Amino acid sequence: MSRKPHIWYPGATYHIMSRGNRKATIFHDDEDYRRFLDILREAKEKYPFKLHSYCLMSNHVHLELGTIDDDSSQIMSYILKTYSTYYNRKYEYVGHLYQGRYKGILIEDEAYFMQTSRYIHLNPVKAGIVSTPEKYEFSSYRLYAENKESDLVSKETTLSLCRNDVSEFRAFVENYAPRDEEKAIQKELRENDLWLP
């Protein structure tokens, strides 16, 4: 199946995912997770963007990323190459770290934007790692749930869609029950080879 053409325009927002080659681990310890977050900060300095949400799992990464003036492919190339260089040096690894090119799904409406945020933040819960999203250290959920300031995550858009009410956002994420819209996200992820059971 041929790859869908990349669509980009200033201000475009995406659900981006990259995973380890053959689903192998790309984060082995806390230092690895923190280095990736530092690289996201470096990328924001070099190619300004809005990171609405993120979740770093042991073998894959989810980002809800809004561009400003730079194409998402330029942003992601910097992030993934920089982390790959760090990883290869630390673990004396040779070969491809990632399973192909990163995948990015264009987010074109507010409902899908919020569904993507919920999907990303519930990833560690659905994987059985934690019982609630707030317990997972390497996602943006705590920043929202505890109303913390962040130099990395831009919370304004997400919270504005919840009437700037943190408790409303928490209820939206945590009181999740499967719905037709969630099935639509899962369908799109499968079609783009992003689905991770």
Side-chain angles (χ1 to χ4, degrees):
M1 184 171 73
S2 63
R3 190 166 67 199
K4 291 182 180 180
H6 174 65
I7 299 169
W8 176 76
Y9 50 85
T13 299
Y14 302 88
H15 177 191
I16 290 175
M17 192 210 139
S18 183
R19 68 181 169 198
N21 196 20
R22 298 180 181 173
K23 302 181 183 179
T25 297
I26 58 175
F27 302 113
H28 296 277
D29 58 26
D30 287 1
E31 180 185 37
D32 294 346
Y33 287 102
R34 292 195 177 99
R35 180 62 189 127
F36 192 89
L37 294 175
D38 286 342
I39 291 167
L40 285 175
R41 289 183 177 91
E42 293 167 15
K44 277 189 76 175
E45 289 290 319
K46 195 172 179 66
Y47 308 105
F49 60 85
K50 292 183 178 181
L51 185 61
H52 301 289
S53 62
Y54 72 84
C55 185
L56 311 183
M57 303 289 281
S58 63
N59 70 348
H60 67 282
V61 172
H62 285 280
L63 307 174
E64 189 173 19
L65 188 148
T67 64
I68 298 174
D69 293 318
D70 297 294
D71 191 328
S72 60
S73 61
Q74 193 173 19
I75 297 165
M76 290 309 299
S77 176
Y78 176 85
I79 292 167
L80 297 178
K81 283 180 182 176
T82 305
Y83 184 75
S84 182
T85 299
Y86 156 82
Y87 185 97
N88 291 349
R89 284 178 182 158
K90 180 176 177 178
Y91 296 105
E92 299 180 354
Y93 183 80
V94 177
H96 296 290
L97 179 59
Y98 311 107
Q99 186 173 315
R101 186 178 180 274
Y102 78 92
K103 305 292 175 80
I105 299 172
L106 184 64
I107 298 171
E108 298 186 272
D109 61 62
E110 292 176 351
Y112 197 75
F113 179 94
M114 291 302 294
Q115 292 155 24
T116 300
S117 179
R118 176 167 58 197
Y119 179 86
I120 288 172
H121 288 131
L122 286 178
N123 227 243
V125 177
K126 291 179 180 177
I129 298 168
V130 291
S131 57
T132 65
E134 199 169 349
K135 291 182 178 178
Y136 192 69
E137 184 176 358
F138 298 107
S139 94
S140 52
Y141 189 73
R142 283 185 189 174
L143 297 172
Y144 283 98
E146 298 173 9
N147 203 19
K148 291 182 176 178
E149 291 299 315
S150 172
D151 63 341
L152 184 59
V153 176
S154 302
K155 300 185 295 180
E156 298 80 15
T157 303
T158 306
L159 290 177
S160 72
L161 296 172
C162 294
R163 297 181 293 189
N164 293 309
D165 185 340
V166 172
S167 61
E168 187 170 317
F169 175 74
R170 291 188 65 149
F172 173 79
V173 174
E174 295 179 27
N175 298 334
Y176 163 77
R179 297 182 179 131
D180 289 341
E181 71 238 15
E182 180 72 9
K183 291 175 185 173
I185 284 188
Q186 292 170 358
K187 179 176 181 286
E188 183 136 28
L189 290 172
R190 283 191 185 97
E191 288 173 356
N192 286 278
D193 191 31
L194 287 170
W195 181 250
L196 296 171

